[in-house]
């Protein structure tokens, strides 16, 4: 098998394992993880040489020959950390120069980081870096709630703080739509509180957000509580929530109910991409739902999804109608 094929299949390292190496590729569209990877590599470079010279260049601003100048032997022999960020906006000159640099081998006393934040621009450059065997740090978006829970739990663990499983889940429900916001919330709780972090702690800081998120609206809707669901929905909309993610939360909740129905037929939670706690919660919520009711809820959410994304005139009305349709389908 060719070296390029091997490198293409090589799994990437996580941001918290980003190494200091002569050449490192940081790739992915999750900006927080890209930033953290660069920060980690920078810290390692400073630990290795406190006098390291750090240079940052944007891909879109790169001019021909810059890489050669930045990596040429230094008069004083100091170590250099060169970061080429936003390589997804690379000029043709950058693509050409990086490929040539990879072919010629790393320069002495140089640590070069190429940060590519998504997209297809510069594919030949990326392929050349990967084929060289340079470390690849993968920074793809964290989409699954289970992975967000793991991320938040790791934030607390790194800080030496204990956080209950319920507290972490509540935080993800409140702020999980943005990884940056979730990470900032973890740091706030770490900095502003003492002792173990439990659900009461999360509620004190983010209770309003927890109660007004699309996930809470969805929880109330699938429980058949139309009054609570509509109250939460209107509060969320009044405080600036967008109908699109609220409908997405409704869709996720209804899909989870459908998956719970599959559990009745003998399939296990891991097959369906569900954590054990998710499966247990879904089973409880499923008790008063029939297959016909779930089908009605799915149709209502699908219609609302289309309308809030441009096919309807009033996104707010569309999401309100979907919530009422779900509560009406409950128990049928």
């Amino acid at each position: 098998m060719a070296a390029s094929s091997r490198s293409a299949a090589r799994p990437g390292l996580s941001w918290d394992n980003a190494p200091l190496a002569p050449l490192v590729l940081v790739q992915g569209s999750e900006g927080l993880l890209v930033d953290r990877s660069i920060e980690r590599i920078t810290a390692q470079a400073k630990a290795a040489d406190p006098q390291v010279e750090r240079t940052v260049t944007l891909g879109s601003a790169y001019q021909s020959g810059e890489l050669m100048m930045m990596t040429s032997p230094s008069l004083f022999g100091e170590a250099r950390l060169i970061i080429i960020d936003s390589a997804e906006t690379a000029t043709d000159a950058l693509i050409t120069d990086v490929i040539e640099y990879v072919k010629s081998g790393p320069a002495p006393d140089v640590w070069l980081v190429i940060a590519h934040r998504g997209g297809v621009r510069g594919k030949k450059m990326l392929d050349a870096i990967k084929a060289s065997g340079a470390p690849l740090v993968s920074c793809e978006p964290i989409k699954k709630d289970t992975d967000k829970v793991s991320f938040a739990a790791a934030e607390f663990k790194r800080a030496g703080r204990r956080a209950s499983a319920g507290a972490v889940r509540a935080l993800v429900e409140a702020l999980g739509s943005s990884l940056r916001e979730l990470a900032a919330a973890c740091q706030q709780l770490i900095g502003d509180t003492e002792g173990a972090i439990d659900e009461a702690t999360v509620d004190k800081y983010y209770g309003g957000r927890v109660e007004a998120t699309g996930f809470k609206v969805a929880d109330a809707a699938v429980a058949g509580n139309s009054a609570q669901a509509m109250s939460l929905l209107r509060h969320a909309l009044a405080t600036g929530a967008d109908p699109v993610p609220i409908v997405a939360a409704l869709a996720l909740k209804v899909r989870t109910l459908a998956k719970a129905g599959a559990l009745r037929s003998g399939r296990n939670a891991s097959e369906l991409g569900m954590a054990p706690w998710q499966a247990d919660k879904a089973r409880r919520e499923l008790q008063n739902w029939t297959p016909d009711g779930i089908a009605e809820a799915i149709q209502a959410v699908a219609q609302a999804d289309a309308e809030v994304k441009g096919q309807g005139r009033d996104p707010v009305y569309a999401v309100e109608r979907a919530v009422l349709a779900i509560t009406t389908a409950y128990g049928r």
Side-chain angles (χ1 to χ4, degrees), residues 259-326:
K259 287 181 180 181
L263 294 174
R264 288 175 172 172
S265 62
R267 299 186 66 181
N268 60 52
S270 60
E271 276 185 279
L272 300 170
M274 301 172 71
W277 64 268
Q278 286 178 313
D280 290 341
K281 183 178 181 181
R283 286 191 185 97
R284 292 193 299 271
E285 292 172 334
L286 187 65
Q287 290 178 2
N288 293 302
W289 280 89
T290 66
D292 287 343
I294 293 174
E296 286 181 29
I298 291 173
Q299 290 174 355
V301 170
Q303 182 178 352
D305 184 66
E307 291 182 0
V308 299
K309 292 179 179 177
Q311 293 185 21
R313 294 182 179 180
D314 190 340
V316 171
Y317 174 71
V319 68
E320 287 180 346
R321 186 175 58 194
V323 168
L324 289 174
I326 292 170

Coordinates of all heavy atoms in Angstrom, one line a residue, residues 259-326:
K259 N -36.3 5.6 18.5 CA -35.2 4.6 18.8 C -35.6 3.8 20.0 O -35.3 2.5 20.0 CB -33.9 5.3 19.1 CG -33.2 5.9 17.8 CD -31.9 6.6 18.3 CE -31.2 7.2 17.1 NZ -30.0 7.9 17.4
A260 N -36.2 4.4 21.0 CA -36.7 3.7 22.2 C -37.7 2.6 21.8 O -37.7 1.5 22.4 CB -37.3 4.6 23.2
G261 N -38.5 2.9 20.8 CA -39.4 1.9 20.3 C -38.7 0.7 19.7 O -39.1 -0.5 19.9
A262 N -37.5 0.9 19.1 CA -36.7 -0.2 18.5 C -36.1 -1.0 19.6 O -35.9 -2.2 19.5 CB -35.6 0.4 17.6
L263 N -35.9 -0.4 20.8 CA -35.4 -1.2 21.9 C -36.3 -2.3 22.4 O -36.0 -3.3 22.9 CB -35.1 -0.2 23.1 CG -34.0 0.8 22.9 CD1 -33.9 1.7 24.1 CD2 -32.6 0.1 22.7
R264 N -37.6 -2.0 22.2 CA -38.7 -3.0 22.5 C -38.5 -4.2 21.7 O -39.0 -5.3 22.1 CB -40.1 -2.4 22.3 CG -40.4 -1.3 23.4 CD -41.8 -0.7 23.0 NE -42.3 0.2 24.0 CZ -43.4 0.9 23.9 NH1 -44.1 0.9 22.7 NH2 -43.8 1.7 24.9
S265 N -38.0 -4.1 20.5 CA -37.9 -5.2 19.6 C -36.6 -6.0 19.8 O -36.2 -6.9 19.0 CB -38.0 -4.8 18.1 OG -37.0 -3.9 17.8
G266 N -35.8 -5.7 20.8 CA -34.6 -6.4 21.2 C -33.3 -5.8 20.8 O -32.3 -6.3 21.2
R267 N -33.3 -4.7 20.1 CA -32.1 -4.0 19.8 C -31.5 -3.3 21.0 O -32.2 -2.9 21.9 CB -32.3 -3.0 18.7 CG -32.8 -3.6 17.4 CD -32.8 -2.6 16.2 NE -31.5 -2.2 15.9 CZ -31.3 -1.3 14.9 NH1 -32.3 -0.7 14.3 NH2 -30.1 -0.9 14.6
N268 N -30.1 -3.3 21.1 CA -29.6 -2.7 22.3 C -29.2 -1.2 22.0 O -29.2 -0.7 20.9 CB -28.3 -3.5 22.8 CG -27.2 -3.5 21.7 OD1 -26.8 -2.5 21.2 ND2 -26.7 -4.7 21.4
A269 N -29.0 -0.5 23.1 CA -28.8 1.0 23.0 C -27.5 1.3 22.2 O -27.6 2.3 21.4 CB -28.6 1.5 24.5
S270 N -26.4 0.6 22.4 CA -25.2 0.9 21.6 C -25.4 0.8 20.1 O -24.8 1.6 19.4 CB -24.1 0.0 22.1 OG -24.4 -1.3 21.8
E271 N -26.2 -0.2 19.7 CA -26.5 -0.3 18.2 C -27.2 1.0 17.7 O -27.0 1.3 16.5 CB -27.5 -1.5 18.0 CG -26.8 -2.8 17.9 CD -27.9 -3.9 17.6 OE1 -28.6 -4.3 18.5 OE2 -28.0 -4.2 16.4
L272 N -28.0 1.6 18.5 CA -28.7 2.8 18.1 C -28.0 4.1 18.4 O -28.6 5.2 18.3 CB -30.1 2.8 18.8 CG -31.0 1.5 18.5 CD1 -32.2 1.5 19.4 CD2 -31.4 1.5 17.1
G273 N -26.8 4.0 18.9 CA -26.0 5.2 19.2 C -26.5 5.9 20.4 O -26.3 7.2 20.5
M274 N -27.0 5.2 21.4 CA -27.5 5.8 22.6 C -26.7 5.4 23.8 O -26.3 4.2 23.9 CB -29.0 5.4 22.8 CG -29.9 5.8 21.7 SD -31.6 5.1 21.9 CE -32.2 6.0 23.3
A275 N -26.5 6.3 24.7 CA -25.8 6.0 26.0 C -26.9 5.3 26.9 O -28.1 5.5 26.7 CB -25.3 7.3 26.6
P276 N -26.4 4.5 27.8 CA -27.4 3.8 28.7 C -28.3 4.8 29.4 O -29.5 4.5 29.5 CB -26.4 3.1 29.7 CG -25.2 2.9 29.0 CD -25.0 4.1 28.1
W277 N -27.9 6.0 29.9 CA -28.8 6.9 30.6 C -29.8 7.5 29.6 O -30.9 7.7 30.0 CB -28.0 8.0 31.3 CG -27.2 8.9 30.4 CD1 -25.9 8.8 30.0 CD2 -27.7 10.1 29.7 NE1 -25.6 9.8 29.1 CE2 -26.7 10.7 29.0 CE3 -29.0 10.8 29.7 CZ2 -26.8 11.8 28.2 CZ3 -29.1 12.0 29.0 CH2 -28.0 12.5 28.2
Q278 N -29.4 7.6 28.3 CA -30.3 8.1 27.3 C -31.4 7.1 27.0 O -32.6 7.4 26.9 CB -29.6 8.4 26.0 CG -28.8 9.7 26.0 CD -28.1 9.9 24.7 OE1 -27.4 9.0 24.2 NE2 -28.1 11.2 24.2
A279 N -31.0 5.8 27.0 CA -31.9 4.7 26.7 C -32.9 4.6 27.8 O -34.1 4.4 27.6 CB -31.2 3.4 26.5
D280 N -32.4 4.7 29.1 CA -33.3 4.6 30.2 C -34.4 5.7 30.2 O -35.6 5.5 30.5 CB -32.5 4.6 31.5 CG -31.7 3.3 31.7 OD1 -32.0 2.3 31.1 OD2 -30.7 3.4 32.5
K281 N -33.9 6.9 30.0 CA -34.8 8.1 29.9 C -35.9 7.9 28.8 O -37.0 8.2 29.0 CB -34.0 9.4 29.8 CG -34.9 10.6 29.8 CD -34.0 11.9 29.7 CE -34.9 13.1 29.7 NZ -34.1 14.4 29.6
A282 N -35.4 7.5 27.7 CA -36.3 7.3 26.5 C -37.3 6.2 26.8 O -38.5 6.4 26.4 CB -35.5 7.0 25.3
R283 N -36.9 5.2 27.4 CA -37.9 4.1 27.8 C -39.0 4.6 28.7 O -40.2 4.3 28.5 CB -37.2 2.9 28.5 CG -36.4 2.0 27.5 CD -35.9 0.8 28.3 NE -35.0 0.0 27.5 CZ -33.7 0.0 27.6 NH1 -33.2 0.8 28.5 NH2 -32.9 -0.8 26.9
R284 N -38.6 5.5 29.6 CA -39.6 6.0 30.5 C -40.6 7.0 29.8 O -41.8 6.9 30.0 CB -39.0 6.8 31.7 CG -38.2 5.9 32.7 CD -37.8 6.7 33.9 NE -37.0 7.8 33.6 CZ -35.6 7.8 33.6 NH1 -35.0 6.6 33.8 NH2 -34.9 8.9 33.4
E285 N -40.0 7.8 28.9 CA -40.8 8.7 28.1 C -41.7 8.0 27.1 O -42.8 8.5 26.7 CB -39.9 9.7 27.4 CG -39.2 10.7 28.3 CD -38.2 11.5 27.6 OE1 -37.6 11.1 26.6 OE2 -37.8 12.6 28.1
L286 N -41.3 6.8 26.7 CA -42.1 6.1 25.7 C -43.4 5.4 26.2 O -44.2 5.1 25.4 CB -41.2 5.0 25.0 CG -41.7 4.2 23.8 CD1 -41.9 5.2 22.6 CD2 -40.7 3.1 23.5
Q287 N -43.5 5.3 27.5 CA -44.6 4.6 28.1 C -46.0 5.0 27.6 O -46.9 4.1 27.5 CB -44.5 4.7 29.6 CG -43.3 3.9 30.2 CD -43.3 4.1 31.7 OE1 -44.1 4.7 32.4 NE2 -42.2 3.5 32.3
N288 N -46.2 6.3 27.4 CA -47.5 6.7 26.9 C -47.6 7.1 25.5 O -48.5 7.8 25.0 CB -47.9 7.9 27.8 CG -48.2 7.6 29.3 OD1 -49.0 6.7 29.6 ND2 -47.4 8.2 30.1
W289 N -46.6 6.5 24.7 CA -46.6 6.8 23.3 C -46.9 5.6 22.5 O -46.5 4.5 22.8 CB -45.3 7.3 22.8 CG -45.1 8.8 23.1 CD1 -44.6 9.4 24.3 CD2 -45.4 9.9 22.3 NE1 -44.6 10.7 24.2 CE2 -45.1 11.1 23.0 CE3 -45.9 10.0 21.0 CZ2 -45.3 12.3 22.4 CZ3 -46.1 11.3 20.4 CH2 -45.8 12.4 21.1
T290 N -47.7 5.7 21.4 CA -48.0 4.6 20.5 C -47.3 4.9 19.2 O -46.8 6.0 18.9 CB -49.5 4.6 20.2 OG1 -49.9 5.8 19.4 CG2 -50.4 4.5 21.5
P291 N -47.1 3.8 18.4 CA -46.4 4.0 17.1 C -47.1 5.1 16.2 O -46.5 5.9 15.6 CB -46.5 2.6 16.5 CG -46.5 1.7 17.6 CD -47.3 2.4 18.7
D292 N -48.5 5.1 16.3 CA -49.2 6.1 15.5 C -48.9 7.5 16.0 O -48.8 8.5 15.2 CB -50.7 5.9 15.5 CG -51.1 4.6 14.7 OD1 -50.3 4.2 13.9 OD2 -52.2 4.1 14.9
G293 N -48.8 7.7 17.3 CA -48.6 9.0 17.9 C -47.2 9.5 17.5 O -47.0 10.6 17.2
I294 N -46.2 8.5 17.6 CA -44.8 8.9 17.2 C -44.8 9.3 15.7 O -44.1 10.3 15.3 CB -43.9 7.7 17.5 CG1 -43.7 7.5 19.0 CG2 -42.5 8.0 16.9 CD1 -42.9 6.3 19.3
A295 N -45.5 8.6 14.9 CA -45.6 8.9 13.4 C -46.1 10.3 13.2 O -45.6 11.1 12.4 CB -46.4 7.9 12.7
E296 N -47.2 10.7 14.0 CA -47.8 12.0 13.9 C -46.7 13.1 14.3 O -46.6 14.1 13.7 CB -49.0 12.1 14.8 CG -50.2 11.4 14.2 CD -51.4 11.6 15.2 OE1 -51.5 12.6 15.8 OE2 -52.3 10.7 15.2
A297 N -46.0 12.8 15.4 CA -45.0 13.8 15.9 C -43.9 14.0 14.9 O -43.4 15.1 14.7 CB -44.5 13.3 17.2
I298 N -43.5 12.9 14.3 CA -42.4 13.0 13.2 C -42.9 13.8 12.1 O -42.1 14.7 11.6 CB -42.0 11.6 12.8 CG1 -41.3 10.8 13.9 CG2 -41.1 11.6 11.5 CD1 -41.0 9.4 13.6
Q299 N -44.1 13.6 11.6 CA -44.6 14.4 10.5 C -44.7 15.9 10.9 O -44.4 16.8 10.1 CB -46.0 13.9 10.1 CG -45.9 12.6 9.4 CD -47.3 12.0 9.2 OE1 -48.3 12.6 9.6 NE2 -47.4 10.9 8.5
A300 N -45.1 16.2 12.1 CA -45.3 17.6 12.6 C -43.9 18.3 12.6 O -43.8 19.4 12.2 CB -45.9 17.6 14.0
V301 N -42.9 17.6 13.1 CA -41.6 18.1 13.2 C -41.0 18.3 11.8 O -40.3 19.4 11.5 CB -40.7 17.2 14.1 CG1 -39.2 17.7 14.0 CG2 -41.1 17.3 15.5
A302 N -41.2 17.4 10.9 CA -40.7 17.5 9.6 C -41.3 18.8 8.9 O -40.6 19.5 8.2 CB -41.0 16.3 8.7
Q303 N -42.6 19.0 9.1 CA -43.2 20.1 8.5 C -42.6 21.4 9.1 O -42.3 22.4 8.3 CB -44.7 20.1 8.7 CG -45.5 21.3 8.1 CD -47.0 21.2 8.3 OE1 -47.5 20.2 8.8 NE2 -47.7 22.2 7.9
A304 N -42.5 21.5 10.4 CA -41.9 22.6 11.0 C -40.5 22.9 10.6 O -40.1 24.1 10.4 CB -42.0 22.5 12.6
D305 N -39.7 21.9 10.4 CA -38.3 22.0 10.0 C -38.3 22.7 8.6 O -37.4 23.6 8.4 CB -37.7 20.6 9.9 CG -36.2 20.7 9.6 OD1 -35.4 21.3 10.4 OD2 -35.8 20.3 8.5
A306 N -39.1 22.3 7.7 CA -39.1 22.9 6.4 C -39.6 24.4 6.5 O -39.0 25.2 5.8 CB -40.1 22.1 5.5
E307 N -40.5 24.6 7.3 CA -41.1 26.0 7.4 C -40.1 27.0 8.1 O -40.0 28.1 7.6 CB -42.4 26.0 8.1 CG -43.5 25.3 7.3 CD -44.9 25.3 8.0 OE1 -45.0 25.9 9.1 OE2 -45.8 24.8 7.4
V308 N -39.4 26.5 9.1 CA -38.5 27.5 9.8 C -37.2 27.7 8.9 O -36.5 28.6 9.2 CB -38.1 27.0 11.2 CG1 -39.3 26.9 12.1 CG2 -37.3 25.7 11.1
K309 N -37.0 26.8 8.0 CA -35.8 27.0 7.1 C -36.2 27.6 5.8 O -35.4 27.6 4.8 CB -35.2 25.6 6.9 CG -34.5 25.1 8.2 CD -33.9 23.7 7.9 CE -33.3 23.2 9.2 NZ -32.7 21.8 9.1
G310 N -37.3 28.3 5.7 CA -37.6 29.1 4.5 C -38.9 28.8 3.7 O -39.3 29.6 2.9
Q311 N -39.5 27.6 4.0 CA -40.7 27.3 3.2 C -41.9 27.9 3.8 O -43.0 27.8 3.2 CB -40.8 25.8 3.1 CG -39.7 25.2 2.2 CD -39.9 23.7 2.0 OE1 -41.0 23.2 2.2 NE2 -38.8 23.0 1.7
G312 N -41.9 28.5 5.0 CA -43.0 29.1 5.6 C -42.8 30.6 5.9 O -41.7 31.1 5.8
R313 N -43.9 31.3 6.1 CA -43.8 32.7 6.3 C -43.5 33.1 7.8 O -43.0 34.2 8.0 CB -45.1 33.4 5.9 CG -45.3 33.3 4.4 CD -46.6 34.0 4.0 NE -46.9 34.0 2.6 CZ -47.9 34.5 2.0 NH1 -48.8 35.2 2.7 NH2 -48.1 34.4 0.7
D314 N -43.9 32.3 8.7 CA -43.8 32.6 10.1 C -43.1 31.5 10.9 O -43.8 30.5 11.4 CB -45.2 32.9 10.7 CG -45.1 33.5 12.1 OD1 -44.1 33.4 12.8 OD2 -46.2 34.1 12.5
P315 N -41.8 31.5 11.1 CA -41.1 30.5 11.9 C -41.6 30.3 13.3 O -41.7 29.1 13.8 CB -39.6 31.0 11.9 CG -39.5 31.9 10.7 CD -40.9 32.6 10.6
V316 N -42.0 31.4 13.9 CA -42.5 31.2 15.3 C -43.8 30.4 15.3 O -44.0 29.5 16.2 CB -42.7 32.6 15.9 CG1 -43.4 32.5 17.3 CG2 -41.4 33.3 16.1
Y317 N -44.7 30.8 14.4 CA -46.0 30.0 14.3 C -45.7 28.5 14.0 O -46.3 27.6 14.6 CB -46.9 30.6 13.3 CG -48.1 29.8 13.0 CD1 -49.1 29.8 14.0 CD2 -48.3 29.1 11.8 CE1 -50.3 29.0 13.8 CE2 -49.4 28.4 11.6 CZ -50.4 28.3 12.6 OH -51.5 27.6 12.3
A318 N -44.7 28.3 13.2 CA -44.4 26.9 12.8 C -43.9 26.1 13.9 O -44.4 24.9 14.1 CB -43.3 26.9 11.7
V319 N -43.1 26.6 14.8 CA -42.6 25.9 15.9 C -43.7 25.7 17.0 O -43.8 24.7 17.6 CB -41.3 26.5 16.5 CG1 -41.5 27.8 17.2 CG2 -40.6 25.5 17.5
E320 N -44.5 26.7 17.2 CA -45.6 26.6 18.1 C -46.6 25.5 17.7 O -47.0 24.7 18.5 CB -46.3 28.0 18.2 CG -45.6 29.0 19.0 CD -46.4 30.3 19.1 OE1 -47.4 30.5 18.3 OE2 -46.0 31.2 19.9
R321 N -46.9 25.5 16.4 CA -47.8 24.4 15.9 C -47.2 23.1 16.1 O -47.9 22.1 16.4 CB -48.1 24.7 14.4 CG -49.2 23.8 13.8 CD -49.5 24.2 12.4 NE -48.3 24.1 11.6 CZ -48.2 24.7 10.4 NH1 -49.3 25.3 9.9 NH2 -47.1 24.6 9.7
A322 N -45.9 22.9 15.9 CA -45.3 21.6 16.0 C -45.3 21.2 17.5 O -45.6 20.0 17.8 CB -43.8 21.7 15.6
V323 N -45.1 22.1 18.4 CA -45.1 21.7 19.8 C -46.6 21.3 20.2 O -46.7 20.2 20.9 CB -44.7 22.9 20.7 CG1 -45.1 22.7 22.2 CG2 -43.2 23.2 20.6
L324 N -47.6 22.0 19.8 CA -48.9 21.6 20.1 C -49.3 20.3 19.4 O -50.0 19.4 20.0 CB -49.9 22.7 19.6 CG -49.9 24.0 20.4 CD1 -50.8 25.0 19.8 CD2 -50.3 23.7 21.9
A325 N -48.8 20.0 18.2 CA -49.1 18.7 17.5 C -48.4 17.6 18.3 O -49.0 16.5 18.4 CB -48.5 18.8 16.1
I326 N -47.3 17.8 18.8 CA -46.6 16.7 19.6 C -47.4 16.4 20.9 O -47.6 15.2 21.2 CB -45.1 17.1 19.9 CG1 -44.3 17.2 18.6 CG2 -44.5 16.1 20.9 CD1 -42.9 17.8 18.8

